[in-house]
Amino acid sequence: MSTIDSVLTETRVFQPSADFVKQANVPGMAAYQALCDEAERDFEGFWARLARETLQWSKPFTRTLDESNAPFYKWFDDGELNVSYNCLDVNLANGNADKVAIIFESDDGTVTRVTYRELHARVGRFANGIKALGYKKGDRSIIYMPMSIEAVVAMQACARLGITHSVVFGGFSAKSLQERIIDVGATLVITADEQVRGGKTIPLKPAVEEAFAMGGCEAVRNVVVYRRTGGKVAWTEGRDLWMHDVEKGQSDQCEPVQVEAEHPLFVLYTSGSTGKPKGVQHASAGYLLWAALTMKWTFDLKPSDVYWCTADVGWVTGHTYIAYGPLAVGATQIVFEGVPTYPNAGRFWETIQKHGCTIFYTAPTAIRSLIKAAEASPDHHPKKYDLSSLRVIGSVGEPINPEAWMWYYNNIGGGRCPVVDTWWQTETGGHMITPLPGATGLKPGSCTLPLPGIMAAIVDETGEDVELGKGGFLVVKRPWPAMIRTIWGDPERFKKSYYPEELGGTCYLAGDGANRDTDGYFWIMGRIDDVLNVSGHRLGTMEVESALVAHPMVAEAAVVGRPDDLTGEAVVAFVVLKRARPDDAEAMEIAKELRNWVAKEIGPIAKPKEIRFGDNLPKTRSGKIMRRLLRVVAKGESVTQDVSTLENPAILEQLGKAL
Ligand code: 7RM
């Protein structure tokens, strides 16, 4: 594991202001420490207390943690509740009925508001509608929708009936959609006619048709379509239904189906180091508990806040910090349909100003691109907008470089708002290592300290703790309520991926390399496996390789990541064609064809930024592709390592040249 000394010697520390501390949900380091101590002293008691205080149970639990079948941990497992009841009905009962739940900011700037009462009614009607179609607890649905109130309604309605949903990001291809429909065994698909982003419409229902045409989706009985644009779509009578027709005539009261705490709330597919994306399965109670708690702890959420998370509901951030967490704590949130650069690079800042946003949560890749845009077009520089409503700003998805952190802190936060750099994963369900805005001293580029009850550590390959300052594998030594329960349909892969024998079998391996400085602060160094992080999106190198070799022209492909100023990492593909290596002019054409092919196989986010063609690939005599060397040549650096074990060292020079 490489040690990056520069970050460990970061000396700038930004302490929360006295005023912030005074009003904070976790006011000061002593309050944070008290929670950590409570979890250390009485681990189960700590979680049981929080679960009783935070959630409404239809049947109280008596068992907190069941470790008898580790690593298949169970939390609160003899308890019962309903997630949608906890997000909606609870708010009707506690005085939030007329409070705005969602401020929907559409791509063109049109605003739609729904109160908790209205959202509850919409979810009730839609849930009754799909119930009338015969869907029930234990069924699985696929949700393939744009950012919208309707997407939240669809997710909440499934939760209300105990239907396990699997949201597929609208940017994924028909092929990816088909694979997920099959893997999760969906019988219901909820989609939209089209989505609108950056002034353009992008088809969604047609991708569903395409997925069906690929075969294997015969278990799907209905496709429910939210009419977003009114664009023309193919229609199969009897199978396809408009969302508004499904709701029509239904009562807005839908009895929530109480489920066991461990009932799977959702399955969300994410990339791993090998094979197809894995279906990360989350439970109901433990997940919701953590979604609610971290809203209050990490974001210091108060009833008067206007909260905005810019993620898409197709990612875990959009699940926990849009569809569930904010509603579970009765927040008012902005749901945004568009893109950060439309109609101009000031869109985020203008939207913050327009709605008086107080808590803003986005990704480093967006920050970096907006820094560039602000410099290029001073008219839309954040200083042209009134951002004084902000009080907490957050970052998620990838490491944030100290320069981007400082820019964010000064230009968006006005030097007054704590930056919460939240480290977590699809698998963790919610935040794990993050500052608490009213407690933790901030260091630019560090996600700082684990949340109370999260036993994060850094270990070597044998599972031994490493000394501070020595890098290693990021692990979590005790289970936590929002953790992944299994990989859908593949418990063996779950064990192998996250609880390897080498680490004793009960220590969660995150897949990230990390380091700790002398203050105990965590610094995430990036993935230790073959997973890339492009603009905060997880991508398996194997996934992209499989997509490339599926093209009839391609004999072999190797994919690596290369550091990129804007996207964090960029995909670089090395390709051997079945025919002779093309000349430059031809190579451009074929590269274009292959990039579009990858977009079709996986989605536009997986398109290689660069493709280089070779007569072959650098391999050891036993036939292993030396990706380590390819990473070097992808950066345009010359190989200084010993290449004597290579079958064909000369190939490195050929692959070293960009098109
Ligand atoms: C929430 C999310 C998870 C991977 C994770 C890391 C990287 C996420 C941070 C981060 C450094 C952060 N889920 N990552 N947050 N690295 N600092 N604050 O992103 O499943 O899609 O990705 O993302 O490598 O393992 S995810």
Side-chain angles (χ1 to χ4, degrees):
M1 188 65 46
S2 65
T3 305
I4 301 177
D5 294 320
S6 61
V7 299
L8 296 179
T9 54
E10 173 66 65
T11 51
R12 289 170 292 193
V13 183
F14 299 86
Q15 296 294 345
S17 70
D19 283 348
F20 196 104
V21 176
K22 235 188 304 175
Q23 59 81 58
N25 289 340
V26 182
M29 267 325 248
Y32 163 72
Q33 201 53 55
L35 286 165
C36 294
D37 292 347
E38 183 189 349
E40 285 282 348
R41 232 178 16 248
D42 177 12
F43 189 69
E44 290 193 32
F46 167 80
W47 288 116
R49 173 179 74 77
L50 293 168
R52 290 192 181 105
E53 288 173 7
T54 310
L55 301 176
Q56 301 262 328
W57 298 82
S58 60
K59 175 170 174 252
F61 62 91
T62 64
R63 281 193 299 268
T64 301
L65 171 62
D66 177 359
E67 302 186 81
S68 60
N69 190 26
F72 300 94
Y73 300 100
K74 290 181 184 167
W75 285 92
F76 321 116
D77 77 311
D78 62 343
E80 288 180 7
L81 50 55
N82 179 278
V83 167
S84 156
Y85 178 88
N86 272 274
C87 293
L88 300 169
D89 305 55
V90 165
N91 282 303
L92 262 49
N94 69 10
N96 283 337
D98 295 314
K99 181 173 179 177
V100 172
I102 297 177
I103 303 170
F104 177 65
E105 165 87 19
S106 73
D107 190 64
D108 72 3
T110 310
V111 175
T112 312
R113 291 184 172 77
V114 288
T115 63
Y116 274 93
R117 193 195 308 283
E118 289 160 347
L119 190 62
H120 173 267
R122 287 231 35 204
V123 169
R125 278 199 297 277
F126 187 57
N128 278 328
I130 53 179
K131 185 170 150 189
L133 291 168
Y135 297 98
K136 56 181 192 311
K137 180 185 169 204
D139 291 344
R140 275 88 59 202
S141 67
I142 286 276
I143 297 178
Y144 186 58
M145 294 179 83
M147 287 298 289
S148 52
I149 294 169
E150 285 70 17
V152 176
V153 167
M155 292 166 81
Q156 285 284 341
C158 287
R160 199 159 187 93
L161 298 177
I163 297 169
T164 301
H165 62 65
S166 185
V167 181
V168 176
F169 172 55
F172 276 132
S173 66
K175 184 95 191 39
S176 299
L177 178 63
Q178 177 230 20
E179 286 165 4
R180 286 155 175 76
I181 291 171
I182 295 172
D183 192 79
V184 85
T187 50
L188 170 66
V189 172
I190 308 170
T191 188
D193 49 1
E194 297 178 314
Q195 55 179 327
V196 188
R197 284 166 64 84
K200 295 193 195 72
T201 58
I202 306 157
L204 282 173
K205 172 77 165 40
V208 176
E209 298 291 342
E210 240 185 280
F212 285 2
M214 291 171 190
C217 305
E218 293 72 26
V220 176
R221 296 198 308 274
N222 292 105
V223 179
V224 175
V225 187
Y226 158 50
R227 187 185 287 165
R228 169 62 187 88
T229 63
K232 244 187 115 53
V233 289
W235 207 255
T236 302
E237 280 311 324
R239 184 197 68 186
D240 298 350
L241 301 160
W242 290 110
M243 189 173 188
H244 55 260
D245 287 335
V246 170
E247 288 174 26
K248 201 177 285 166
Q250 295 293 341
S251 157
D252 56 16
Q253 300 295 321
C254 176
E255 191 59 35
V257 175
Q258 306 299 337
V259 302
E260 314 80 67
E262 285 293 308
H263 181 68
L265 177 64
F266 67 85
V267 172
L268 184 60
Y269 286 81
T270 192
S271 296
S273 44
T274 53
K276 293 273 168 225
K278 35 197 185 188
V280 172
Q281 181 181 320
H282 278 287
S284 295
Y287 171 81
L288 190 66
L289 168 63
W290 201 225
L293 273 176
T294 50
M295 283 300 300
K296 292 187 187 159
W297 286 354
T298 309
F299 296 125
D300 192 49
L301 192 105
K302 303 284 165 45
S304 57
D305 277 307
V306 177
Y307 161 92
W308 182 18
C309 166
T310 68
D312 191 285
V313 289
W315 310 110
V316 73
T317 307
H319 282 58
T320 310
Y321 297 108
I322 295 177
Y324 293 109
L327 302 179
V329 297
T332 292
Q333 70 171 322
I334 299 167
V335 169
F336 177 50
E337 179 181 44
V339 299
T341 48
Y342 178 83
N344 59 59
R347 183 65 185 272
F348 275 3
W349 325 133
E350 193 191 326
T351 304
I352 291 169
Q353 170 182 287
K354 177 171 167 188
H355 300 297
C357 173
T358 60
I359 303 171
F360 178 66
Y361 190 35
T362 196
T365 190
I367 298 166
R368 285 193 300 266
S369 75
L370 292 170
I371 294 175
K372 227 175 121 174
E375 282 161 3
S377 77
D379 280 357
H380 304 111
H381 193 281
K383 67 178 176 236
K384 300 275 177 177
Y385 302 85
D386 178 5
L387 305 179
S388 61
S389 56
L390 288 172
R391 60 183 205 92
V392 177
I393 55 180
S395 170
V396 59
E398 54 183 316
I400 177 164
N401 46 310
E403 302 71 43
W405 194 102
M406 286 305 306
W407 186 89
Y408 193 36
Y409 182 74
N410 286 322
N411 291 278
I412 308 307
R416 141 195 109 247
C417 305
V419 175
V420 289
D421 175 2
T422 59
W423 178 85
W424 62 296
Q425 308 175 294
T426 306
E427 293 87 341
T428 70
H431 301 154
M432 298 293 277
I433 309 179
T434 173
L436 294 182
T440 320
L442 310 170
K443 299 189 192 185
S446 170
C447 55
T448 76
L449 301 167
L451 285 170
I454 301 301
M455 307 307 183
I458 301 177
V459 301
D460 63 19
E461 7 1 282
T462 65
E464 286 299 313
D465 283 332
V466 300
E467 290 164 50
L468 294 183
K470 288 256 191 328
F473 303 119
L474 180 57
V475 298
V476 187
K477 292 190 165 180
R478 300 279 283 135
W480 65 100
M483 66 186 292
I484 174 175
R485 292 308 194 265
T486 188
I487 291 174
W488 182 264
D490 200 347
E492 273 314 305
R493 191 172 174 200
F494 164 73
K495 271 216 254 195
K496 276 228 295 272
S497 309
Y498 304 110
Y499 285 93
E501 284 306 327
E502 298 88 307
L503 301 183
T506 60
C507 185
Y508 173 82
L509 178 68
D512 279 328
N515 218 318
R516 268 176 109 166
D517 64 19
T518 46
D519 293 329
Y521 276 40
F522 285 75
W523 298 80
I524 307 297
M525 301 304 178
R527 301 290 304 189
I528 53 168
D529 51 12
D530 293 312
V531 172
L532 306 182
N533 193 322
V534 180
S535 299
H537 302 318
R538 258 167 82 166
L539 261 185
T541 53
M542 303 289 188
E543 250 178 290
V544 185
E545 287 172 11
S546 320
L548 284 167
V549 298
H551 190 282
M553 284 177 78
V554 176
E556 233 185 339
V559 166
V560 298
R562 172 175 71 200
D564 187 282
D565 283 348
L566 221 53
T567 56
E569 273 189 297
V571 177
V572 179
F574 296 91
V575 170
V576 181
L577 296 176
K578 286 177 183 160
R579 36 154 289 185
R581 181 167 175 262
D583 63 31
D584 280 4
E586 229 185 338
M588 295 290 253
E589 277 307 302
I590 302 174
K592 193 170 147 200
E593 152 92 20
L594 293 180
R595 294 177 76 246
N596 291 336
W597 173 268
V598 172
K600 262 191 101 63
E601 287 284 300
I602 304 173
I605 53 173
K607 273 187 178 181
K609 177 152 188 194
E610 192 184 334
I611 298 181
R612 295 186 194 176
F613 297 94
D615 293 322
N616 44 47
L617 296 171
K619 286 187 187 169
T620 61
R621 279 173 228 280
S622 61
K624 284 206 173 61
I625 299 174
M626 295 288 281
R627 289 191 178 70
R628 189 164 51 78
L629 298 177
L630 288 175
R631 277 194 280 272
V632 176
V633 297
K635 279 193 268 189
E637 293 171 1
S638 48
V639 175
T640 54
Q641 289 97 327
D642 178 20
V643 294
S644 58
T645 58
L646 276 192
E647 179 75 51
N648 50 344
I651 196 66
L652 290 173
E653 202 192 307
Q654 186 182 73
L655 294 173
K657 294 192 200 82
L659 271 181

